[in-house]
Structures are given as C-alpha cells and as structure tokens.
Amino acid sequence: MSFSRDERSGSAFSDIFSSKVLPGGNAHEYTVVSNRPFMTMKDIMILLLMIVGLFIWMNKTTHWAWMIVVGWIWIKLKNVKQESLLIMRDIGIQVKTTYWSGRTESKFINRLKIQNVVINEGIHLWQVKPYMAILVKDQEKMLIVFENLLPPLHPVLLTTYRGTRRLLFPSDDND
C-alpha cells in the first residue's frame, strides 16, 4: 500500500506503508519506508555551491571543501530510512528505526508495562500532526511510533492502531 506523505503538499515523494501478519497470526509487523532518495538533485546542487563558495573563499584550499562534503554526507546518513512496529500477542512491542547508514535502533516494551496505545495530535508550527503513541507504566514520556517519518492518519496510523489494539487488548471491544 502506498500513500502520499503529505496529501496537501503535492510532494513528488511518497512513503511506502506495509502491513503483514507473521506465521501463526500472533504477531503483526507494520512498516513505513521513506521513498525519498538519499541525495536529491537539490542536495547535490547545494553541496556543489557550498564547495565552490568555500573553494573561492578559502583561497583555493580544498581541504575545507572536502570536510564540508564529508560533514554533509554524515548528516544525510543520520536521516531515517525506515521505521517499523512489531506487535507480539502477550509478549510486547518492538519499535525499530533504520537509518540510511544501515544502523538500526530497537526498543522492546514488555506487554505487562504497556498501559495503553493512543492516537494523539501534536502542533508543530502551523500544522496539526497526528501520531501514535504507546503509554508505558512508570515512565513520564510516551513512546511515539513512526516518530521520524510521521505518516498520515489514514490509512497508516489507523490501520496500525487497530491492529495493535486487537493484539494487545483482545478483550476491548472499543477500537
């Protein structure tokens, strides 16, 4: 299933959402993959302008320009490529973030520590952005799912929310 990252912006890039039930039906995995390329033409043009500007400014010493190139690429490698949520009935949730560098970060939350799963709205500048969060017992901060890619409410967050609640809280009839 594919969706536009921000339906109002008309962006040429879209994120890809996938949902799969793992064998046995006791686990679901929801994944959002950024379809944005590592480097866009805009990034390359800005980088070239920076190198040329520094080359002229530093009186033809290129080591500064190369340091800028390496710093730019290092920043780009820290961008998030994919985020996933693995829900295992009676076990818990694993939230995983994969970066362009290939590095991954995972966090596991035991089912007994999960207080609730909610969809909330946050205000950022002049936008209201929906997000899904996991409320964990004895923690002040909630864990935001798909925190870096912030997919849209429909279909991504609603599908993920309903599937998560169905596995973690099977006795609840209120979705």
Side-chain angles (χ1 to χ4, degrees):
M1 177 182 317
S2 180
F3 63 87
S4 169
R5 181 171 200 179
D6 184 355
E7 292 142 5
R8 289 163 286 175
S9 72
S11 172
F13 301 107
S14 62
D15 295 332
I16 299 165
F17 173 66
S18 66
S19 166
K20 64 180 175 182
V21 178
L22 300 178
N26 288 326
H28 287 87
E29 183 175 34
Y30 300 95
T31 305
V32 177
V33 180
S34 175
N35 202 20
R36 191 168 193 91
F38 176 67
M39 288 278 238
T40 62
M41 281 304 286
K42 180 181 172 183
D43 292 331
I44 293 169
M45 294 304 293
I46 290 171
L47 187 58
L48 287 175
L49 287 172
M50 287 172 52
I51 291 171
V52 168
L54 280 173
F55 185 74
I56 292 168
W57 181 67
M58 295 301 292
N59 198 16
K60 301 193 192 264
T61 40
T62 59
H63 69 279
W64 285 103
W66 287 113
M67 287 174 38
I68 295 295
V69 171
V70 170
W72 183 270
I73 292 172
W74 181 73
I75 289 169
K76 294 300 274 181
L77 288 173
K78 290 180 70 175
N79 287 339
V80 173
K81 181 180 182 181
Q82 173 180 315
E83 291 181 294
S84 65
L85 180 69
L86 177 64
I87 301 101
M88 297 160 279
R89 184 186 315 269
D90 300 328
I91 297 174
I93 294 177
Q94 175 183 297
V95 179
K96 183 176 169 184
T97 304
T98 304
Y99 297 88
W100 277 102
S101 64
R103 180 176 65 98
T104 61
E105 289 179 2
S106 296
K107 180 168 181 143
F108 177 77
I109 306 161
N110 188 318
R111 167 60 188 100
L112 299 175
K113 290 194 160 244
I114 298 172
Q115 196 170 3
N116 205 350
V117 177
V118 297
I119 290 182
N120 206 356
E121 291 179 333
I123 299 172
H124 178 69
L125 298 175
W126 292 276
Q127 295 180 339
V128 177
K129 297 194 177 208
Y131 62 91
M132 186 172 139
I134 301 167
L135 305 177
V136 183
K137 292 177 186 170
D138 302 326
Q139 284 190 11
E140 287 184 26
K141 285 187 161 186
M142 56 187 150
L143 178 68
I144 299 174
V145 179
F146 308 132
E147 179 177 15
N148 299 287
L149 298 179
L150 288 175
L153 179 63
H154 183 72
V156 180
L157 293 180
L158 287 176
T159 303
T160 306
Y161 171 77
R162 289 177 181 143
T164 302
R165 299 240 0 134
R166 207 171 289 123
L167 276 175
L168 292 180
F169 310 108
S171 61
D172 286 358
D173 292 330
N174 303 330
D175 260 0

